[in-house]
Amino acid sequence: MTATREQDTDDAPGPVTARRPGGRTARTRTRILEATLHLVARDGIAALRYEEVAELAGVHKTSVYRNWPDREELVNAALLQYAGSVELEDTGDLRHDLVDYLVGLAGLLSTTTGRAMQRAIQDAGENPDVALPVNRIFEQRLARLQQVVDHAVARGELPPVDGYFLAEMLTGPVHLYVSRGLRPFTRTEAERITDVVLAGLRHTAG
């Protein structure tokens, strides 16, 4: 990301003209959100400073304040813009789909976006404003998982199960693997986790 400062259209003197979608203002906002995500991933939300965001984005600090006068609003916008999602397929083979999902999740958690989300999750318990976008992102993912699980239940692959419980059992180990970084998370680990969780659910059913 370049640190060269570009004067925003909003800051430029002269008559106001219509802005084209995707023009300089949009590019400025994009750089600000990318810089915010990077800094949250590195330092956390509490340490976020507008001066650093502006410097990393290569814009004037006033541009950051003008678009997002509240720090939590800025963080929320960055999280929602770049939260990313791991595609959960519904091929009719639940085990295969869940293994693919865990491998994709591990890849996402290793990115700047993933690290920023981890920081936001840690702060969400103490900051209701940050909790809102975090909860929205996870609710969307949970709804998709529940849909896939319900289809598997209808096929007889799995006893009825709450999607939230299943998500916690499956993704918890992935978060630990990635955050500790002691060994790489491979497809073998994803298969082991999936097999243990699914076997446990089937064994305890009824």
Side-chain angles (χ1 to χ4, degrees):
M1 183 182 300
T2 179
T4 302
R5 295 194 176 184
E6 176 180 308
Q7 187 175 35
D8 303 327
T9 301
D10 291 343
D11 295 334
V16 177
T17 57
R19 299 186 183 92
R20 294 172 299 170
R24 180 176 294 178
T25 299
R27 292 195 300 271
T28 296
R29 290 172 63 90
T30 296
R31 290 202 304 275
I32 292 172
L33 293 178
E34 288 176 347
T36 300
L37 197 73
H38 176 84
L39 292 171
V40 169
R42 190 189 71 185
D43 304 323
I45 297 173
L48 185 68
R49 299 290 180 269
Y50 274 41
E51 293 81 0
E52 288 189 88
V53 173
E55 181 177 359
L56 187 59
V59 301
H60 295 287
K61 185 172 65 174
T62 54
S63 299
V64 185
Y65 278 108
R66 180 184 301 110
N67 286 283
W68 295 280
D70 180 79
R71 184 178 64 176
E72 278 67 34
E73 290 180 4
L74 173 59
V75 173
N76 291 352
L79 290 176
L80 292 174
Q81 179 73 21
Y82 297 104
S85 61
V86 183
E87 185 66 25
L88 176 57
E89 300 290 345
D90 191 2
T91 66
D93 183 342
L94 180 64
R95 178 184 184 274
H96 178 272
D97 295 337
L98 292 178
V99 169
D100 280 352
Y101 178 74
L102 295 188
V103 172
L105 176 62
L108 176 63
L109 292 175
S110 301
T111 65
T112 298
T113 297
R115 290 190 293 272
M117 282 297 300
Q118 289 285 77
R119 290 278 195 167
I121 292 170
Q122 294 170 8
D123 292 344
E126 300 178 358
N127 191 330
D129 291 329
V130 175
L132 289 175
V134 171
N135 290 340
R136 187 186 310 175
I137 291 165
F138 279 98
E139 284 172 2
Q140 292 173 349
R141 295 177 183 176
L142 180 59
R144 174 57 178 167
L145 176 61
Q146 187 68 64
Q147 181 183 49
V148 173
V149 168
D150 288 344
H151 291 167
V153 171
R155 293 192 302 268
E157 285 190 72
L158 198 67
V161 60
D162 175 64
Y164 180 83
F165 176 78
L166 178 59
E168 291 294 293
M169 294 299 100
L170 288 170
T171 63
V174 183
H175 283 264
L176 286 176
Y177 261 91
V178 176
S179 64
R180 290 176 178 172
L182 299 178
R183 53 191 290 186
F185 187 89
T186 66
R187 190 172 187 86
T188 298
E189 277 70 42
E191 291 172 343
R192 288 173 177 171
I193 292 169
T194 301
D195 288 341
V196 167
V197 172
L198 293 183
L201 290 173
R202 290 165 180 148
H203 179 72
T204 57

